[in-house]
Amino acid sequence: MLSQLEQVAQATQVDLAKLRIEKWKTDSNTKRGTQADVESIQRNLQMALPEIIGELRASPENIATTFKLYRNLDALYDVFGPVVESAGAFGSRDEFQSAQNDLSSLERSRRALAERMEALAGAKEGELTQLRTQVRDLKAAATTPPTPPKKVVVDDTEPPQKPVKKKTVPNPPTPTTPATAPATTTPAPTQPQAPQQ
């Protein structure tokens, strides 16, 4: 877009230099006024416009510089319009046609820049909304007190105690049922023996 605008500016400068305002069929005040406007446009196209385009090239996302360029194009358009009308009314057909084409090209560049500015503003607004949300979330996190960590108190003034070993006690035998009880043999009663004779 900027390269196209530079081409429009160069073509406009060439066409403005070809205007023969002194030969127009009108009064001297109109000629002087139109000549002053042409000189103003030429100064802008040679000095101010290239400087702003350079700034925008260096920082293409800068919305302030983009708006500065738009305002400059708007001012150029406002001054150039009456020059083209005067060329149509008092100049030759070729002068008018060339100036009219330049004005149309300038208007296209101005519209393209306005659309770019609108898109850039929308993108910047989206970024701002996202940043505001992040800041709000950070503030909310900062105002919520964090849960304090668990405190473990270690008393290291006494020597550590050895762990007490538990003595294991064997389990008592379980009583058995009579059906499964082992048979016990009881000694048979002994009979007294008869004394020998």
Side-chain angles (χ1 to χ4, degrees), residues 10-140:
Q10 289 171 357
T12 303
Q13 288 180 64
V14 169
D15 291 335
L16 287 174
K18 291 179 183 176
L19 292 179
R20 297 291 169 241
I21 299 171
E22 69 280 355
K23 294 185 177 180
W24 286 1
K25 296 175 179 154
T26 185
D27 61 279
S28 58
N29 286 340
T30 303
K31 289 179 183 178
R32 271 197 303 272
T34 304
Q35 187 62 47
D37 288 345
V38 167
E39 289 169 4
S40 174
I41 293 167
Q42 286 174 325
R43 276 194 307 273
N44 190 308
L45 294 175
Q46 291 168 1
M47 296 167 59
L49 186 63
E51 182 181 329
I52 299 170
I53 288 174
E55 289 175 19
L56 193 55
R57 270 212 176 95
S59 180
E61 300 297 312
N62 188 325
I63 197 161
T65 306
T66 305
F67 189 66
K68 183 178 178 182
L69 179 58
Y70 178 80
R71 278 194 339 216
N72 189 61
L73 291 181
D74 203 40
L76 275 171
Y77 188 82
D78 287 346
V79 176
F80 196 21
V83 170
V84 173
E85 287 177 13
S86 295
F90 311 117
S92 69
R93 184 175 185 85
D94 289 342
E95 287 177 325
F96 171 70
Q97 193 60 54
S98 298
Q100 180 64 43
N101 291 343
D102 294 335
L103 185 65
S104 297
S105 297
L106 186 65
E107 173 60 12
R108 279 193 299 276
S109 294
R110 186 174 72 155
R111 282 186 186 158
L113 186 63
E115 289 169 8
R116 163 114 173 93
M117 198 164 43
E118 185 177 359
L120 189 59
K124 295 290 185 188
E125 187 62 33
E127 289 175 15
L128 281 174
T129 301
Q130 185 179 7
L131 287 172
R132 284 185 188 121
T133 302
Q134 289 173 353
V135 168
R136 187 182 63 231
D137 292 348
L138 287 172
K139 281 184 179 178

Side-chain angles (χ1 to χ4, degrees), residues 136-165:
R136 187 182 63 231
D137 292 348
L138 287 172
K139 281 184 179 178
T143 56
T144 305
T147 54
K150 268 188 178 178
K151 291 185 180 179
V152 177
V153 178
V154 177
D155 185 7
D156 58 354
T157 57
E158 294 183 17
Q161 295 180 354
K162 292 184 180 176
V164 178
K165 290 187 178 177

Side-chain angles (χ1 to χ4, degrees), residues 179-190:
T180 60
T184 56
T185 55
T186 55
T190 57

